[in-house]
Structure formats: structure tokens, C-alpha cells
Amino acid sequence: MIRVIATIQLQAGRREEFLRIFKAIVPTVLREKGCREYGPMIDLETTIGAQIPLRPDVVTIVEGWADLDSLENHLIAPHMIEYRKAVKELVASVSLQVLEPA
């Protein structure tokens, strides 16, 4: 299984609006072939010294995929193309980490 960590930097103050749109597509993505995990996460305030400062305008998507083909098919799925159009004005930037077991 591969993992994806997608860090989405949002326009200031737009996180709740983004999450409403994002959460609407989660059930569809979870039904995709090869999807094992897919969900949004936000920073949790803790007293752990090594933790980075809280990011109120960031959503981190944690994904699990059976293989790279499944992930690549996900990226071009019609519902993902529509999702990206819907959130275009809310998103400042996106970075991806695609990981495999060591």
C-alpha cells in the first residue's frame, strides 16, 4: 500500500468552506478501486515541543491506496476534476508526498 499526504494551504479564513466541499466527495472517493483510506485532518493543539506551529488555514489529506495505478486513476476521476473546479478559489497551494513502506 502507498500513502499520500496532501497539504492544502487555503486562502485565509476559508477552511470551513473548503471542508464542506471536500467532505462531500469523501464517500465517492472511498468507493474508488484501490482506495483504502481518504480523509481530511487539521492541526491539533498539543504541548509536544517538536510539533510545528498550528496552521489555521491548512488541511492535510491522509490517503491510502493499494497501488500507484489506483492513485493515478483517482487524480483523473471525473468527480475529482469537478472538486478541483469547486475549490479553485479557496486553495492557495497544494503539495503532495507519495510514500511507500520502507
Side-chain angles (χ1 to χ4, degrees), residues 22-59:
F22 186 87
K23 287 178 180 179
I25 67 158
V26 169
T28 302
V29 174
L30 289 171
R31 288 190 298 270
E32 287 181 39
K33 181 180 181 211
C35 184
R36 304 289 186 256
E37 177 183 9
Y38 192 80
M41 308 288 284
I42 59 173
D43 294 354
L44 174 67
E45 185 172 0
T46 73
T47 58
I48 298 170
Q51 181 175 346
I52 64 173
L54 294 179
R55 304 164 300 165
D57 296 312
V58 170
V59 173

Side-chain angles (χ1 to χ4, degrees), residues 2 22 29 31 50 53 57 63 68 70 77 82 85 88 95:
I2 62 173
F22 186 87
V29 174
R31 288 190 298 270
D57 296 312
E63 307 177 31
L68 188 56
S70 297
E82 291 303 312
K85 289 178 189 176
K88 182 179 180 180
S95 66

Side-chain angles (χ1 to χ4, degrees), residues 6-102:
T7 303
I8 303 173
Q9 176 68 51
L10 300 164
Q11 302 294 342
R14 306 297 294 271
R15 187 167 75 182
E16 292 308 313
E17 185 179 358
F18 171 83
L19 284 170
R20 276 193 304 279
I21 295 168
F22 186 87
K23 287 178 180 179
I25 67 158
V26 169
T28 302
V29 174
L30 289 171
R31 288 190 298 270
E32 287 181 39
K33 181 180 181 211
C35 184
R36 304 289 186 256
E37 177 183 9
Y38 192 80
M41 308 288 284
I42 59 173
D43 294 354
L44 174 67
E45 185 172 0
T46 73
T47 58
I48 298 170
Q51 181 175 346
I52 64 173
L54 294 179
R55 304 164 300 165
D57 296 312
V58 170
V59 173
T60 302
I61 311 304
V62 178
E63 307 177 31
W65 295 92
D67 50 46
L68 188 56
D69 286 341
S70 297
L71 172 60
E72 290 174 342
N73 287 329
H74 161 71
L75 295 173
I76 60 171
H79 55 272
M80 292 308 296
I81 293 168
E82 291 303 312
Y83 151 78
R84 283 192 288 276
K85 289 178 189 176
V87 300
K88 182 179 180 180
E89 301 302 318
L90 307 177
V91 174
S93 65
V94 177
S95 66
L96 293 180
Q97 291 175 272
V98 181
L99 308 166
E100 66 179 339

